[in-house]
């Protein structure tokens, strides 16, 4: 299974996003479109970035009753994104509905993954605020097992939980891991972080990096560094 670096394009507008992507003339990195950009620009931003030759992870973290998520996935799938996601705590039935809704008229569908526990969340918060009375690793592993049983292709988790997910769900089950920073970088609002090299060793299939690349003085150089540390 190949590994890749996904750049989180957490910009406020299409103009900012396209200006950033001008840094990449030969490479066509995999990019993540999140809520900020999607809600600002609407569905066309997916089509525009796909037309530029990039793969797109549309990160909207759907969570609602199964029928609503199924219909939402039907609308999102036709935009051409390569990967879509939901929240794993939406239940197995909701995740099954998401997979069903994502199937296009030609029978194809994007990869569908489930968010386990956000990398901005600590184990203390999970225990005290979310009332999940287990370790972070066990909670993530259970969410991953639920996602696999629902027919999901993988999960979003911290690199720190990637090995446990692989052990529980198999090597073909994808681990998409935010919370990755270069060595000595500021973790900012992330709590469970690693370097690209560590994420590789821990079993991540994809790492998601935003500000370490998008705010770098030389984004292309930062992206190539991430590839070198994670993929090569």
């Amino acid at each position: 299974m190949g590994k890749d670096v996904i750049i989180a394009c957490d910009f406020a507008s299409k103009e900012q996003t396209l200006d950033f992507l001008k840094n990449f003339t030969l490479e066509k990195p995999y990019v993540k479109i999140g809520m900020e950009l999607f809600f600002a620009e609407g569905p066309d931003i997916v089509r525009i970035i796909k037309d530029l030759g990039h793969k797109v992870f549309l990160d909207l973290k759907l969570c609602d009753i199964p029928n609503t998520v199924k219909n939402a996935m039907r609308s999102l799938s036709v935009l051409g994104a390569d990967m879509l996601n939901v929240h794993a705590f939406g239940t197995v039935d909701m995740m099954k509905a998401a997979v069903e809704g994502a199937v296009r008229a030609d029978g194809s569908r994007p990869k569908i993954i489930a968010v386990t526990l956000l990398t901005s969340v600590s184990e203390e918060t999970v225990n005290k605020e979310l009332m999940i009375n287990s370790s972070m690793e066990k909670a993530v592993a259970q969410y991953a097992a639920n996602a696999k049983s629902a027919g999901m292709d993988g999960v979003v988790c911290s690199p720190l939980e990637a090995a446990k997910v692989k052990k529980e769900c198999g090597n073909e089950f994808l681990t998409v891991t935010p919370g990755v920073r270069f060595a000595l970088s500021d973790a900012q609002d992330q709590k469970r972080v690693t370097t690209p090299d560590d994420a590789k060793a821990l079993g991540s299939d994809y790492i998601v990096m935003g500000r370490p690349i998008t705010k770098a003085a030389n984004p292309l150089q930062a992206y190539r560094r991430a590839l070198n540390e994670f993929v090569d």
Side-chain angles (χ1 to χ4, degrees):
M1 181 181 298
K3 294 181 179 288
D4 207 350
V5 175
I6 300 175
I7 302 177
C9 289
D10 295 326
F11 298 107
S13 70
K14 175 180 67 177
E15 290 73 22
Q16 289 176 315
T17 305
L18 297 183
D19 187 58
F20 168 75
L21 292 176
K22 289 177 183 177
N23 288 289
F24 306 92
T25 54
L26 297 178
E27 291 94 338
K28 293 293 182 180
Y30 208 136
V31 302
K32 179 177 81 72
I33 297 173
M35 287 183 276
E36 179 182 11
L37 181 59
F38 188 83
F39 293 157
E41 297 293 345
D44 278 347
I45 191 64
V46 179
R47 300 185 182 100
I48 290 168
I49 293 177
K50 284 292 295 181
D51 286 345
L52 291 174
H54 299 272
K55 288 186 176 181
V56 171
F57 168 24
L58 185 54
D59 176 27
L60 300 182
K61 301 180 181 72
L62 301 186
C63 188
D64 210 311
I65 63 172
N67 192 59
T68 297
V69 169
K70 181 177 181 178
N71 291 334
M73 274 291 181
R74 183 175 293 119
S75 297
L76 294 174
S77 182
V78 298
L79 299 178
D82 301 272
M83 190 183 295
L84 299 169
N85 66 356
V86 301
H87 264 298
F89 61 70
T91 75
V92 171
D93 283 346
M94 188 206 75
M95 289 188 281
K96 287 180 178 179
V99 174
E100 292 172 7
V103 178
R104 305 177 180 115
D106 63 1
S108 67
R109 68 165 176 83
K111 293 186 183 302
I112 310 296
I113 60 175
V115 178
T116 54
L117 291 169
L118 300 173
T119 51
S120 60
V121 176
S122 67
E123 187 166 303
E124 181 182 11
T125 300
V126 167
N127 295 156
K128 291 184 177 180
E129 294 185 22
L130 303 184
M131 300 299 289
I132 297 174
N133 296 315
S134 73
S135 68
M136 181 77 71
E137 186 179 68
K138 287 182 179 179
V140 169
Q142 183 60 55
Y143 279 153
N146 291 346
K148 183 176 181 180
S149 72
M152 294 262 148
D153 298 294
V155 292
V156 178
C157 64
S158 160
L160 299 172
E161 292 101 38
K164 180 67 172 178
V165 169
K166 292 288 188 181
K167 182 179 179 180
E168 294 292 325
C169 300
N171 285 330
E172 296 304 309
F173 195 68
L174 298 176
T175 51
V176 180
T177 59
V180 178
R181 297 285 186 269
F182 294 122
L184 304 179
S185 293
D186 180 3
Q188 296 168 315
D189 56 354
Q190 303 283 13
K191 297 294 191 297
R192 306 188 329 273
V193 299
T194 68
T195 65
D197 189 61
D198 288 339
K200 178 180 180 179
L202 289 165
S204 299
D205 295 304
Y206 296 90
I207 57 172
V208 181
M209 297 185 73
R211 287 163 285 189
I213 297 176
T214 61
K215 300 297 184 183
N218 187 326
L220 177 58
Q221 185 178 69
Y223 171 66
R224 287 175 174 171
R225 176 184 173 185
L227 284 176
N228 183 61
E229 293 183 15
F230 181 66
V231 178
D232 295 341

